[in-house]
Amino acid sequence: MTSFQAVIQLVYVIAAACFVIGLHLMNSPATARRGNQVSTAGMVIAIAATLVLLIHYGTVKPIGWIALGAGTLIGAGVGLYSARTIQMTAMPQLVSMFNAVGGGAATLVGVYDYLHTENLPGGVLGTTTVATLLDVIIGCVTFSGSLIAAGKLQGVIGGQPIVFRGSRLFNIVLGVVLLGTAVFMLTTASQLALLVIALAALAFGVLMVLPIGGADMPVVISLLNAFTGTAVAMAGIVINNWALIVAGALVGASGGILTKLMADAMNRSIPNIIIGGFGTGDTAVLAGPGGDAQVKSIQADDAAIQLAYASKVIIVPGYGLAAAQAQHAVAELANVLEEHGVEVSYAIHPVAGRMPGHMNVLLAEANVPYPQLKEMDEINPEFPRTDVALVIGANDVTNPAARRPGSAISGMPILDVDKAKSIIVVKRSMGHGYAGIENELYFDPKTSMYFADGKTALTEMTAAVKTLVA
Amino acid sequence: MSTALVTDLAIFVLALLVGVEVIGKVPATLHTPLMSAANSIHGIILAGALLIGVTAGGVVGYLLAFVASLFAAANVVGGYVVTGRMLKMFRRKAPEPVPAAPAKVAVAAAAGAPSDTGNGRKPS
């Protein structure tokens, strides 16, 4: 290593340190913005060092500069535009797209390295072959899987799980082809074999995500995020670049942790989600407390009286709230109640929304101060002291049936909404959640059902509260 | 196994452990920005994409360099910008001024308009 290369490597180490510090600062909303800035600074110096290295080598041909320059500028433009214009409800799609392009780029770096070194004396059967294979396989699975996930989230591809006859057998065949070709490549250099591997991995990514239902999206996105990180780390091992290895490993860890958290929040194992099941609605076997149970219905005026004379209200938002674009309406209702002296907080289940923490961002966008956003473990002890729990668009995560064995959602951690003194549920109909079972909460004598679209209901309630307190 | 590979693996494993330690402390409130931040960090693959240029000589090489740098640049720029945009929304207190503002926001949302207040959508 020349002293020049050593300096560049040191700069990469500084960049890697910036990434770690940046992530560390994200442990509180108060410092998170600074964290993002530190991380950005690390990225800028890493890219700058790379450019210095390119110039130092002096081997980049003019067409090479044009290819790199054009690619970088167009990519940066597209990234900037989508980042600025994306709506917060569409964040999961954007994250999925970034996973796709990140995995795609990692694959291409691995592929190029393979093609290039194969032409050198000595061939490619060096120790990095395993890393190259992992890079290409994981990168391709991420690329196609993330595109399908983004398509599902955007509604381009039906959100319903898509399963076809013999898909499991086809997956096994693909797996055998992948493994066989990979083993073959350990002893023989072959561009064709690499192509086979890439195609098989792309097909595998598609087949992995297609059968997964909408409710499982938070897990899938997290998992694909972990995959992208791992692919980048493998690319780093292939080209022997520390910055890539550290960054990739950090992302792999982050994605892995989030995947685990999401799966735990649904009380399901990760393999179980990948194989499909719960999100597919095919476990809809158990009936609720029977058809003769009565539900109590409520109108805006009565709901307003309950809310306005409460001293503590907890709002339980679910994905339905975001789907109805009602996060601003809920924030307004909360404002009116707070001005009237009611203590308002939000109970956020870990899987509310379409990606980890999605609901928090949607409410933050609606100007809800973050100290009001409470995590499940933090808010659950507060329900018994709560006068009104207002459930909007959340279903399975409030179902007390989860506490008993024998239900499709048994063991899933839930919000203890039923422990509140009274409950108002805003819902369009008595339809089921993803688990396909009756929600026992709706039949609780303390519960009143407000049958309406989320936004309409909130607007009506806000108006009614205003009239009441005026 | 070469020394370089052993070193690389050691770095990978240690970074993984550091990642688990650091990220385990991030509150659920920030999980979306966290994932977005992690997303921008894997945009470091742009460095790898640029390094293709060092040896690229043929059409295939240039094409791979172009597509890889395009993907990676979209990843890194988009990731950092959108993370910043999200984090800006997290406030300790609701913004004080103009009591009319929430109503306006509600109207904008009702009209189905992109309701991004104060996040610099247009750098006017």
Side-chain angles (χ1 to χ4, degrees):
Chain A
M1 195 187 277
T2 66
S3 56
F4 179 77
Q5 281 169 324
V7 170
I8 296 289
Q9 285 286 36
L10 282 176
V11 175
Y12 282 147
V13 172
I14 294 170
C18 286
F19 298 153
V20 174
I21 296 167
L23 286 173
H24 173 71
L25 288 173
M26 292 201 69
N27 65 13
S28 142
T31 54
R33 276 185 79 186
R34 199 143 48 81
N36 194 45
Q37 287 157 1
V38 171
S39 180
T40 311
M43 186 60 70
V44 169
I45 62 168
I47 299 302
T50 311
L51 282 175
V52 171
L53 196 63
L54 289 188
I55 294 164
H56 172 77
Y57 282 140
T59 54
V60 184
K61 303 200 174 54
I63 308 179
W65 280 118
I66 292 170
L68 291 175
T72 307
L73 284 179
I74 297 172
V78 172
L80 192 64
Y81 178 78
S82 45
R84 283 208 169 152
T85 52
I86 194 85
Q87 290 198 29
M88 285 301 136
T89 41
M91 259 323 283
Q93 289 95 302
L94 188 70
V95 166
S96 233
M97 287 307 294
F98 288 156
N99 277 338
V101 290
T107 307
L108 296 176
V109 169
V111 167
Y112 175 77
D113 186 76
Y114 192 85
L115 299 182
H116 167 67
T117 44
E118 196 197 35
N119 298 325
L120 295 178
V124 291
L125 298 173
T127 43
T128 57
T129 312
V130 176
T132 308
L133 289 173
L134 286 174
D135 175 10
V136 172
I137 293 172
I138 301 171
C140 283
V141 169
T142 313
F143 182 70
S144 60
S146 297
L147 287 181
I148 299 290
K152 279 195 169 216
L153 289 159
Q154 184 68 34
V156 183
I157 303 167
Q160 297 306 312
I162 301 165
V163 194
F164 61 88
R165 219 172 240 287
S167 59
R168 203 156 290 178
L169 182 73
F170 193 71
N171 271 333
I172 294 171
V173 172
L174 270 183
V176 171
V177 169
L178 267 178
L179 202 69
T181 320
V183 170
F184 168 76
M185 283 185 71
L186 290 180
T187 53
T188 320
S190 162
Q191 294 185 3
L192 184 67
L194 192 69
L195 184 69
V196 170
I197 284 197
L199 291 177
L202 285 172
F204 192 78
V206 172
L207 292 173
M208 187 180 92
V209 180
L210 271 184
I212 295 175
D216 287 332
M217 273 306 158
V219 182
V220 177
I221 296 182
S222 312
L223 190 65
L224 289 168
N225 191 232
F227 279 11
T228 316
T230 315
V232 168
M234 291 303 134
I237 293 180
V238 170
I239 64 170
N240 194 19
N241 184 309
W242 293 353
L244 263 65
I245 299 173
V246 174
L250 289 174
V251 180
S254 153
I257 290 179
L258 291 175
T259 310
K260 176 90 173 54
L261 284 177
M262 292 299 108
D264 285 353
M266 294 195 284
N267 189 36
R268 306 185 57 209
S269 73
I270 296 161
N272 184 238
I273 290 164
I274 301 300
I275 292 165
F278 184 72
T280 66
D282 59 5
T283 46
V285 279
L286 284 172
D292 53 344
Q294 291 293 309
V295 298
K296 199 164 61 186
S297 153
I298 196 174
Q299 300 295 320
D301 292 338
D302 293 330
I305 292 172
Q306 285 196 32
L307 290 168
Y309 294 109
S311 63
K312 183 171 169 61
V313 170
I314 295 182
I315 298 174
V316 184
Y319 184 70
L321 178 90
Q325 291 278 314
Q327 59 268 38
H328 297 285
V330 81
E332 205 201 343
L333 175 62
N335 271 346
V336 173
L337 290 174
E338 286 204 304
E339 277 165 28
H340 189 56
V342 183
E343 183 195 340
V344 181
S345 44
Y346 295 79
I348 318 262
H349 193 273
V351 293
R354 278 292 180 272
M355 67 182 290
H358 193 189
M359 191 53 64
N360 297 290
V361 174
L362 294 174
L363 291 172
E365 188 197 15
N367 292 330
V368 175
Y370 65 78
Q372 284 183 13
L373 306 172
K374 300 281 171 56
E375 295 175 25
M376 183 168 60
D377 295 339
E378 193 185 347
I379 196 86
N380 266 349
E382 292 186 32
F383 276 108
R385 294 189 282 113
T386 301
D387 299 302
V388 184
L390 179 60
V391 181
I392 309 153
N395 191 344
D396 294 333
V397 297
T398 62
N399 193 343
R403 295 197 199 106
R404 290 195 320 264
S407 142
I409 55 169
S410 292
M412 184 172 97
I414 57 164
L415 294 162
D416 296 336
V417 175
D418 59 323
K419 295 192 176 150
K421 291 183 190 122
S422 69
I423 302 126
I424 300 174
V425 178
V426 176
K427 208 169 178 314
R428 243 181 300 199
S429 68
M430 287 297 288
H432 297 166
Y434 284 108
I437 58 171
E438 293 280 12
N439 190 340
E440 291 173 15
L441 178 72
Y442 304 163
F443 301 94
D444 193 311
K446 290 187 296 185
T447 305
S448 314
M449 301 295 293
Y450 191 130
F451 291 108
D453 162 70
K455 189 146 70 182
T456 319
L458 286 163
T459 318
E460 285 171 6
M461 275 191 275
T462 310
V465 172
K466 273 183 184 160
T467 334
L468 200 64
V469 300
Chain B
M1 236 191 200
S2 66
T3 328
L5 188 63
V6 175
T7 315
D8 287 354
L9 280 177
I11 292 173
F12 177 70
V13 172
L14 292 177
L16 209 57
L17 293 175
V18 169
V20 170
E21 197 57 34
V22 168
I23 289 148
K25 297 195 176 76
V26 177
T29 316
L30 288 178
H31 276 169
T32 292
L34 166 70
M35 188 177 279
S36 178
N39 238 327
S40 28
I41 288 174
H42 68 56
I44 185 73
I45 190 67
L46 180 57
L50 293 176
L51 287 169
I52 292 179
V54 173
T55 49
V59 177
V60 177
Y62 294 138
L63 200 65
L64 286 177
F66 173 72
V67 180
S69 57
L70 190 147
F71 278 3
N75 183 172
V76 72
V77 174
Y80 278 112
V81 172
V82 86
T83 309
R85 202 182 125 188
M86 262 190 285
L87 289 175
K88 217 192 249 176
M89 295 172 183
F90 283 86
R91 300 183 186 87
R92 180 171 288 281
K93 285 203 186 93
E96 279 304 321
V98 278
K104 223 164 61 188
V105 169
V107 169
S115 43
D116 46 4
T117 39
N119 50 22
R121 177 194 166 108
K122 289 257 159 55
S124 54

